[in-house]
Amino acid sequence: MEIEEEKKLISRLCSQNQADAAFAELVEVYKERLYWHIRYLLKNHEDTDDVLQNTFIKIYKNIKKFKGDSRLYSWMYRIAKNESLTFLKKRSKMLKISNEELQSHIVNNLESDVYFEGDEIQLKLQKAISTLPEKQREVFQLRYFEEIKYQDMAELLQTSESALKSNYHHASKKVEEYLKNN
Amino acid sequence: MKLNNHISDKSGFKVPRSYFDDFEIKSFKVQGQKSKTGFSVPEHYFEDFKVKHSKSSKLIRLNEFQKTIAIAASLLVILGTLLTGLLVKPQQPQQLDFSKISRNEVKNYLEDEIMMDYDLYLEDEQLEINLTENNVDDTNIIDNMDDGSIEQLMDY
């Protein structure tokens, strides 16, 4: 969505009589992208659906607080990411396991997940990704699966392009190493 | 213009009838995601996706219900505490009476607990005395040193 278009949508979202129609438009435009962002973090469809719902409700409630310092999508992405991380924290607390243990628990569940149709290599790739540190995992997924440009990623993650390239390089090496040795 | 555009004349290859009419970029995108990652979504998930605003109103109702339960529970606890206070007589606190402790018990305690530490102190003191008496000769020191320490001394 172009900047001008985005500004118009935001002003409609903040107005009383057009807010609902504008919000329906926003959901239509961004639901799929936000869904996949959340899905790569949580892996499971049902959990993703819950978090996506919460993300949109939070966006709806807080749109008036959006100051326009960044692009609308970056702001929504951060809400989706925070909601996902909060969900994961709650889950690890509930299961009384560490975040690392939770990652491997989630990936092990993929084998019996009806909404995971990956083959052996794709499953192994997910296992390799689950061993990465949080930041590297995020960068790797954004670049490899969603094919987001470093320039756009820098805006989303508020990180320099060179740092992101370095993160992706290290992550790729680790994934390659894991796939070779396992 | 060909009537059967789902069949290629030259190669003989064919595609399903009306394939090109139904072809959508959107479905290609979803398929692309699926094939690369292995993740899939239920059929028509994105078409049917709606934000359930009622979720928040349900939450308010649940909170009100929880509040009612919490208030009722608090009242029950307060009532229970008051009734317990009225019905159950408080017990007198036990007082310490040193006259009931026999002399033997005190003596045994001193011998077992305090004197044991004193014995240990005495042992240390004796060791110190022995060392200050200069009764350890050079041969004894060398015999008690390990090989590493001797080598270190030789280096000096």
Side-chain angles (χ1 to χ4, degrees):
Chain A
M1 191 178 270
E2 295 298 316
I3 295 178
E4 282 309 309
E5 238 181 306
E6 200 175 284
K7 278 181 183 170
K8 278 180 194 168
L9 182 67
I10 294 163
S11 72
R12 281 172 60 216
L13 281 164
C14 296
S15 74
Q16 276 190 330
N17 52 351
Q18 290 182 63
D20 286 352
F23 184 69
E25 201 178 303
L26 178 119
V27 171
E28 200 52 42
V29 174
Y30 293 110
K31 63 185 179 188
E32 218 164 318
R33 281 172 75 186
L34 285 176
Y35 173 90
W36 287 110
H37 277 316
I38 300 167
R39 181 76 187 266
Y40 294 135
L41 288 168
L42 307 183
K43 320 284 183 203
N44 172 278
H45 168 72
E46 279 80 16
D47 295 341
T48 304
D49 185 44
D50 281 346
V51 172
L52 185 64
Q53 287 286 342
N54 290 342
T55 302
F56 276 120
I57 288 167
K58 235 172 202 174
I59 291 167
Y60 185 79
K61 283 181 178 169
N62 293 290
I63 191 69
K64 284 177 184 167
K65 290 179 193 164
F66 175 63
K67 291 169 189 164
D69 295 336
S70 62
R71 293 294 299 268
L72 177 65
Y73 185 70
S74 307
W75 180 72
M76 293 195 298
Y77 173 81
R78 281 194 287 276
I79 294 176
K81 185 179 150 183
N82 284 342
E83 285 295 308
S84 307
L85 295 179
T86 307
F87 177 89
L88 289 173
K89 265 182 200 164
K90 275 185 193 166
R91 180 61 61 86
S92 65
K93 222 174 194 180
M94 197 180 79
L95 296 171
K96 291 175 183 164
I97 53 176
S98 68
N99 189 38
E100 288 75 24
E101 286 169 324
L102 180 69
Q103 286 300 322
S104 93
H105 172 81
I106 289 170
V107 171
N108 288 335
N109 282 347
L110 278 179
E111 285 172 66
S112 56
D113 191 335
V114 286
Y115 293 119
F116 183 74
E117 295 172 0
D119 54 23
E120 207 184 324
I121 292 171
Q122 283 166 327
L123 185 65
K124 211 189 249 186
L125 178 63
Q126 287 300 329
K127 283 181 181 173
I129 292 167
S130 75
T131 64
L132 296 174
E134 197 179 304
K135 181 82 178 179
Q136 285 180 20
R137 196 186 317 143
E138 187 180 18
V139 173
F140 186 84
Q141 291 183 148
L142 285 171
R143 185 79 197 106
Y144 185 78
F145 292 133
E146 298 182 61
E147 295 171 358
I148 290 177
K149 290 175 191 165
Y150 285 114
Q151 197 186 345
D152 299 334
M153 218 192 289
E155 156 95 25
L156 280 183
L157 306 181
Q158 307 278 292
T159 316
S160 71
E161 279 186 51
S162 55
L164 292 171
K165 282 175 188 169
S166 161
N167 271 318
Y168 184 72
H169 173 76
H170 285 114
S172 310
K173 285 272 163 206
K174 283 179 193 169
V175 167
E176 202 181 312
E177 202 69 26
Y178 183 95
L179 295 174
K180 264 184 204 169
N181 298 328
N182 289 279
Chain B
M1 191 161 173
K2 290 183 289 178
L3 285 173
N4 293 326
N5 68 347
H6 65 290
I7 302 169
S8 166
D9 288 338
K10 282 184 184 172
S11 66
F13 290 129
K14 64 176 184 177
V15 293
R17 204 175 280 273
S18 74
Y19 170 77
F20 292 113
D21 300 331
D22 299 338
F23 182 81
E24 280 178 8
I25 296 294
K26 193 181 171 189
S27 63
F28 168 74
K29 192 182 168 192
V30 175
Q31 289 296 323
Q33 297 263 22
K34 204 193 327 187
S35 63
K36 198 169 180 179
T37 63
F39 292 125
S40 64
V41 291
E43 214 172 335
H44 308 300
Y45 172 73
F46 291 117
E47 289 92 322
D48 300 339
F49 181 82
K50 293 272 179 305
V51 179
K52 294 158 197 155
H53 285 288
S54 57
K55 211 176 180 179
S56 55
S57 60
K58 265 184 197 168
L59 199 69
I60 291 163
R61 259 185 255 134
L62 187 67
N63 277 344
E64 279 167 1
F65 176 70
Q66 279 177 329
K67 268 183 200 169
T68 318
I69 293 284
I71 291 165
S74 310
L75 285 172
L76 273 174
V77 169
I78 293 164
L79 200 68
T81 316
L82 286 171
L83 282 173
T84 316
L86 287 169
L87 296 173
V88 182
K89 282 181 184 175
Q91 284 183 330
Q92 288 294 321
Q94 276 191 331
Q95 283 185 334
L96 285 171
D97 188 0
F98 286 103
S99 61
K100 284 180 183 171
I101 304 169
S102 70
R103 274 171 181 270
N104 276 341
E105 275 177 312
V106 176
K107 198 183 159 193
N108 288 341
Y109 173 78
L110 285 171
E111 276 176 6
D112 294 346
E113 301 292 326
I114 298 175
M115 300 305 272
M116 198 176 74
D117 291 343
Y118 181 69
D119 287 346
L120 285 171
Y121 169 73
L122 272 181
E123 276 173 21
D124 286 348
E125 201 176 40
Q126 276 166 357
L127 186 70
E128 209 171 295
I129 293 162
N130 285 340
L131 285 170
T132 48
E133 279 173 353
N134 287 331
N135 56 356
V136 185
D137 58 14
D138 294 349
T139 332
N140 279 340
I141 292 172
I142 291 168
D143 285 347
N144 283 298
M145 283 173 82
D146 58 26
D147 294 341
S149 309
I150 295 166
E151 276 169 25
Q152 262 185 329
L153 272 175
M154 298 292 275
D155 288 341
Y156 287 108

